[in-house]
Amino acid sequence: MEKIWLFILLIFLQQHSIAQTKISGKVKDTKGHPLPGASISIKNSYDGATSDSLGNFSFVSNEHGDFILTVTNLGYKDFEQPISISNEPVHIAAVLKEKLDELHAVTITAGSFAAGDSKRAAVLSSIDVATTAGSNADITAALKTLPGTSQVGEQEGLFVRGGAGYETKQFIDGELVNNPYYSSVPDLAQRGRFSPFLFKGTVFSTGGYSALYGQALSSALLLESIDLPDHSEVDASISPLFLGAGTQQLADNKKSSWGINYGYTNVKLYFDAVKQSVDYFNVPQFHTADANFRIKTKTGGIIKYYTTFSHNQLGIRRPDVDSADLKDAFGLKNYNWYNNLTWKEYLSNGWKMNLGLSYSTNQDNIFQQVQDATNQPKQFPDSTFWMLYKNFTVVHRQDLSQGKAVFEKKLGGISALRFGAEYWYSYDNNNYNDTARIKLKDNYTAAFAETDIYLTNEIAAKIGGRFEYSSILNKSDIAPRVSLAYKTGKDAQVSVAYGIFYQKPENSQLDYATHLGYTKATHYIINYQKMSNDRIFRVEAYYKKYDNLVKTIPIFYNYYTSFDNGGSGYAQGIDFFWRDKKSIKNFDYWISYSYLDTKRNYLNFPTRLMPNYAATHTASLVMKRFITKIKTGFNATYTYTSGRPYYNFMLNNSNKYYIAEQGTTKDYNAMNFSAEYVPSAGNTKAKSFLVLFASISNVLGYNAIYGYNYSYSGSEKQAITPPAKRFYFIGLFLSWGVDRSQDAINNNL
């Protein structure tokens, strides 16, 4: 019996060996590179293997018949192939296609800096803005440390790549902000109205921005407001300049929140301590208040409302450039109210909806007056008409109502199609010396479409276009936009962008000439960017062509003027940016440099000239270090700008403008310093947050000259300088219910 059983066992083993089939092959990606660690298996069986370092695999199977062989690998689409197992060796050449996913896919970066925790390509966060020395928590001041911007100290705004300040527009949650800065004061730049801590994401476009936005020749600053706060909290702030208090309250179910804030600023104590070069007969005072609510919807969408109101007033005197013993007095009262309501909703079948409504109103009450040595109004005979025009009052009101709808559809993977429309109704009423000028009313409509196309994780395109119509111009335009990106290696990519951008002339020009058409800029951009969690390197070259810029044509001296679209120009240059948090432990720094070559023939320029707000070379070095042991952060910023041009344009006997004098200001240098003390740093159980913050702008006391104002005859000129060499600030900020000390520490880690 033993021999019989042994014979049967040998027969079984022989048959089993004969039934085994060898299955082997190689796993590669679409570029022919081997893929190690891929999992190979036969569906509905236990047979399989894993590819080796060269992508090879081999195993045997006892199955017989028709099956499906599956190959899987992280980050790649599954590979399946029918096979027939019949004792003959099977060889498989598996080619896996990379999965398209937002984490690994290339992003289009030509012309745009993304910032904030919500953006994968983070450059500047809210903490970055607050701790950039010299910014004093002003978003625009912090962005001026990035390449592509000009350092203009006598006028508010972002001056980008040869563009004027009004050629950069700001948007909050997709809605245009009509008055993002406090009202203009002659030769004094004003700060922005909005705190950086209102926003979770920022995209600063230095050119080539999305077709979803329009009416900006040079740049778009896109601000995305925060959703629900993490905790309920109460905040307070105190300094010699201002007082503030507010609260954010999160519902128990964490589905909704509301908040209110109030602030009062009065700089009298500061001006008493730090003397100013101008005479403030009405010390600047500001009242600000804002409120918000946010509601999460059942499908994961969110409804957000934000409103803010501000009132401010000031009055200043300066020496009159046309007289040795007279003064120019300027007074301002401003009222501003801004409202923004948005609804983001996720619909079925991959659809997403973004709806927005906004309304803003702004009123400036201005008087300009020539005064004598005793600060009394000075009257002039008709023969000195250039002095008569220095005495005036203005009541200027601007209203803007907007509605916008954007729909997005996923096209499989991460490709998407977006389209929508928007409508603006703007009203501008300017009363000069109690005489109403033309009331400007415009119905502006736009339709747009844009698609993100991801061919692979390495290749992507954004193609879009925008149609716009303005009733006040009675003209329309079509603006195409195209961007491409290609990943050249790990964390590295090349992007290119092309686009046409239109903008209505300024209302101060339309007051006199509603026959004008759109101004136009065409952008060409190419950049290279390499970015990891701790380092960013970016270089970008660009060319901009300006057409149909507004030209002024004198009719009677310089006081009666006609306008046309006969202006033109160009801007070209190269920008560099490097940020590094890795090379030096607990030390964060970035370096930016811009080279700009630009000329324009617009307004009263007699020929193509470099605008007086532009500089050939601009560079910034920003450094940050938080020392946990002493719970203190130190920040420094150095900024350099080569001299800016200045001109004195005068009329000749033929009523043509000519350059009576021109030159270049001296180079601009500024070293700014700030520090913050955070006593709760390192306390993981802290339920409150306290920061003592101090800063000094222009530590070395550099005597900056921004340009010159000229007398009517051209024989006298006054240098435009800051009102004081240095600006000092110290403040205490408190929060109860939330601790942000770790954010301050992590900002430098």
Side-chain angles (χ1 to χ4, degrees):
M1 289 294 295
E2 291 179 357
K3 292 180 179 180
I4 294 174
W5 282 111
L6 181 60
F7 177 74
I8 293 172
L9 180 61
L10 290 173
I11 295 288
F12 174 78
L13 292 175
Q14 183 182 22
Q15 292 298 322
H16 182 71
S17 176
I18 293 173
Q20 286 185 332
T21 300
K22 182 179 180 182
I23 300 172
S24 61
K26 189 163 189 171
V27 184
K28 299 179 180 179
D29 63 15
T30 54
K31 296 180 180 179
H33 301 141
L35 293 177
S39 177
I40 301 95
S41 63
I42 298 174
K43 272 192 176 181
N44 302 319
S45 82
Y46 295 100
D47 299 333
T50 301
S51 61
D52 61 19
S53 60
L54 298 178
N56 297 315
F57 68 89
S58 177
F59 64 95
V60 295
S61 175
N62 298 319
E63 304 291 348
H64 192 276
D66 294 330
F67 291 87
I68 299 294
L69 182 79
T70 300
V71 183
T72 61
N73 196 19
L74 186 65
Y76 293 84
K77 294 181 179 179
D78 293 350
F79 172 90
E80 291 187 347
Q81 180 172 320
I83 60 173
S84 179
I85 303 177
S86 57
N87 300 334
E88 294 293 330
V90 177
H91 186 81
I92 300 295
V95 178
L96 272 58
K97 295 181 179 180
E98 194 174 11
K99 277 185 180 178
L100 295 177
D101 66 86
E102 293 184 358
L103 184 62
H104 298 97
V106 66
T107 58
I108 294 174
T109 58
S112 294
F113 281 92
D117 297 335
S118 68
K119 300 292 182 182
R120 181 158 54 90
V123 174
L124 297 183
S125 66
S126 298
I127 292 289
D128 276 329
V129 173
T131 58
T132 296
S135 72
N136 292 305
D138 180 40
I139 296 172
T140 294
L143 290 175
K144 286 182 179 180
T145 66
L146 296 180
T149 60
S150 296
Q151 298 290 334
V152 178
E154 74 278 18
Q155 184 180 345
E156 63 279 353
L158 274 169
F159 297 75
V160 179
R161 291 180 172 173
Y166 57 80
E167 294 175 15
T168 296
K169 300 298 184 183
Q170 295 187 21
F171 300 82
I172 294 180
D173 293 332
E175 301 293 299
L176 176 70
V177 182
N178 206 26
N179 301 95
Y181 302 97
Y182 289 101
S183 295
S184 294
V185 177
D187 300 334
L188 289 175
Q190 303 299 298
R191 63 181 287 120
R193 295 183 183 273
F194 304 103
S195 164
F197 295 102
L198 288 171
F199 308 107
K200 66 177 181 180
T202 302
V203 175
F204 173 44
S205 167
T206 50
Y209 58 87
S210 165
L212 273 62
Y213 307 94
Q215 291 304 296
L217 276 192
S218 293
S219 172
L221 176 59
L222 313 179
L223 304 168
E224 183 181 358
S225 65
I226 63 173
D227 296 334
L228 297 177
D230 294 328
H231 306 279
S232 295
E233 62 180 277
V234 176
D235 304 294
S237 56
I238 182 171
S239 86
L241 282 77
F242 63 79
L243 296 170
T247 183
Q248 293 290 323
Q249 295 296 315
L250 179 66
D252 292 339
N253 62 4
K254 300 187 183 301
K255 298 294 185 181
S256 63
S257 70
W258 62 271
I260 56 173
N261 296 279
Y262 170 76
Y264 173 67
T265 299
N266 188 319
V267 298
K268 184 179 187 307
L269 290 177
Y270 179 82
F271 283 178
D272 288 343
V274 181
K275 299 304 179 183
Q276 307 292 298
S277 61
V278 295
D279 173 22
Y280 283 90
F281 62 85
N282 190 352
V283 174
Q285 297 180 62
F286 298 80
H287 294 271
T288 61
D290 65 70
N292 64 79
F293 70 77
R294 306 175 181 105
I295 303 172
K296 268 194 173 181
T297 65
K298 293 181 179 179
T299 59
I302 191 167
I303 298 171
K304 296 189 286 189
Y305 173 70
Y306 173 74
T307 183
T308 180
F309 174 82
S310 67
H311 165 62
N312 66 281
Q313 60 184 16
L314 61 83
I316 59 174
R317 290 191 190 93
R318 292 190 177 95
D320 181 75
V321 70
D322 285 297
S323 173
D325 57 353
L326 298 179
K327 306 174 185 178
D328 291 327
F330 174 89
L332 167 71
K333 287 186 179 180
N334 170 257
Y335 305 87
N336 181 272
W337 186 33
Y338 175 78
N339 300 267
N340 186 307
L341 175 65
T342 59
W343 179 20
K344 180 187 294 183
E345 193 62 86
Y346 295 92
L347 309 176
S348 59
N349 299 319
W351 283 91
K352 185 167 70 173
M353 173 186 73
N354 282 281
L355 303 180
L357 292 172
S358 69
Y359 169 74
S360 65
T361 183
N362 185 87
Q363 181 168 311
D364 292 319
N365 298 339
I366 298 171
F367 82 84
Q368 172 73 43
Q369 191 177 80
V370 178
Q371 298 180 348
D372 61 22
T374 63
N375 300 329
Q376 297 302 307
K378 178 72 174 177
Q379 302 300 320
F380 300 95
D382 291 345
S383 59
T384 56
F385 58 86
W386 61 90
M387 298 297 288
L388 287 173
Y389 281 94
K390 291 187 176 185
N391 290 323
F392 62 83
T393 61
V394 171
V395 178
H396 186 198
R397 175 169 173 172
Q398 303 170 72
D399 292 78
L400 178 65
S401 303
Q402 301 175 70
K404 187 173 185 177
V406 182
F407 296 90
E408 180 176 323
K409 177 68 169 71
K410 289 293 184 182
L411 301 178
I414 57 176
S415 295
L417 170 67
R418 285 177 294 277
F419 61 90
E422 61 185 317
Y423 168 76
W424 303 354
Y425 173 73
S426 61
Y427 171 80
D428 189 279
N429 184 18
N430 198 353
N431 289 323
Y432 180 82
N433 286 341
D434 297 324
T435 301
R437 289 187 174 176
I438 298 174
K439 293 180 174 63
L440 300 177
K441 299 179 181 180
D442 188 29
N443 295 279
Y444 167 86
T445 55
F448 46 82
E450 183 176 82
T451 182
D452 294 338
I453 302 172
Y454 286 85
L455 302 178
T456 68
N457 282 339
E458 286 78 27
I459 303 175
K462 186 189 294 287
I463 303 172
R466 184 179 180 89
F467 169 83
E468 301 172 315
Y469 172 78
S470 166
S471 67
I472 196 170
L473 302 181
N474 194 25
K475 292 180 175 64
S476 60
D477 66 65
I478 296 178
R481 317 273 170 87
V482 180
S483 301
L484 303 171
Y486 174 68
K487 186 181 287 188
T488 58
K490 180 175 170 51
D491 302 323
Q493 64 177 65
V494 173
S495 296
V496 296
Y498 161 82
I500 296 177
F501 303 84
Y502 294 94
Q503 185 172 341
K504 293 189 301 180
E506 293 297 281
N507 285 337
S508 59
Q509 298 160 349
L510 293 175
D511 273 343
Y512 300 94
T514 56
H515 66 274
L516 291 171
Y518 291 104
T519 57
K520 177 184 176 183
T522 306
H523 296 200
Y524 304 87
I525 303 169
I526 181 170
N527 86 355
Y528 171 81
Q529 178 170 296
K530 185 173 178 61
M531 180 174 182
S532 64
N533 290 333
D534 300 316
R535 287 174 175 163
I536 304 170
F537 172 72
R538 176 188 179 103
V539 58
E540 183 164 290
Y542 62 89
Y543 175 77
K544 286 198 295 185
K545 182 177 182 290
Y546 295 101
D547 295 292
N548 305 327
L549 297 179
V550 174
K551 283 284 293 179
T552 58
I553 304 167
I555 298 174
F556 173 68
Y557 288 94
N558 205 10
Y559 299 98
Y560 297 96
T561 305
S562 65
F563 299 82
D564 65 23
N565 286 104
S568 62
Y570 73 89
Q572 59 188 3
I574 188 166
D575 296 334
F576 293 90
F577 180 77
W578 167 254
R579 183 170 187 177
D580 182 9
K581 293 185 177 183
K582 185 176 181 180
S583 297
I584 304 173
K585 186 178 180 181
N586 299 336
F587 184 75
D588 176 21
Y589 72 96
W590 67 80
I591 300 170
S592 69
Y593 168 75
S594 297
Y595 169 78
L596 171 64
D597 170 25
T598 182
K599 288 184 178 179
R600 287 185 172 196
N601 184 359
Y602 82 135
L603 300 180
N604 62 344
F605 282 29
T607 185
R608 278 197 175 186
L609 298 168
M610 189 174 191
N612 60 3
Y613 51 76
T616 303
H617 304 283
T618 303
S620 291
L621 169 62
V622 179
M623 299 170 286
K624 304 184 181 189
R625 170 76 187 275
F626 193 92
I627 303 175
T628 307
K629 186 176 180 180
I630 59 174
K631 304 180 180 182
T632 303
F634 299 96
N635 318 290
T637 301
Y638 171 72
T639 299
Y640 166 80
T641 297
S642 59
R644 290 159 42 194
Y646 62 86
Y647 310 99
N648 180 25
F649 300 130
M650 298 189 70
L651 291 171
N652 59 23
N653 294 330
S654 302
N655 216 28
K656 301 288 186 180
Y657 284 112
Y658 70 97
I659 303 175
E661 183 178 80
Q662 65 178 318
T664 303
T665 64
K666 63 180 181 178
D667 294 354
Y668 173 83
N669 294 271
M671 173 66 77
N672 306 315
F673 177 80
S674 68
E676 62 273 359
Y677 172 63
V678 187
S680 60
N683 182 0
T684 58
K685 297 181 179 180
K687 296 298 182 183
S688 63
F689 178 63
L690 181 151
V691 175
L692 180 62
F693 183 84
S695 70
I696 306 175
S697 298
N698 194 24
V699 176
L700 303 179
Y702 172 77
N703 293 310
I705 295 178
Y706 301 133
Y708 293 92
N709 291 321
Y710 286 88
S711 64
Y712 175 79
S713 65
S715 60
E716 300 292 332
K717 65 180 179 181
Q718 290 178 346
I720 302 172
T721 61
K725 281 188 178 181
R726 300 175 181 86
F727 177 76
Y728 305 89
F729 176 82
I730 185 168
L732 182 65
F733 301 87
L734 305 101
S735 296
W736 294 272
V738 62
D739 177 30
R740 295 193 181 91
S741 58
Q742 196 58 42
D743 293 338
I745 297 172
N746 290 342
N747 188 54
N748 298 128
L749 299 180

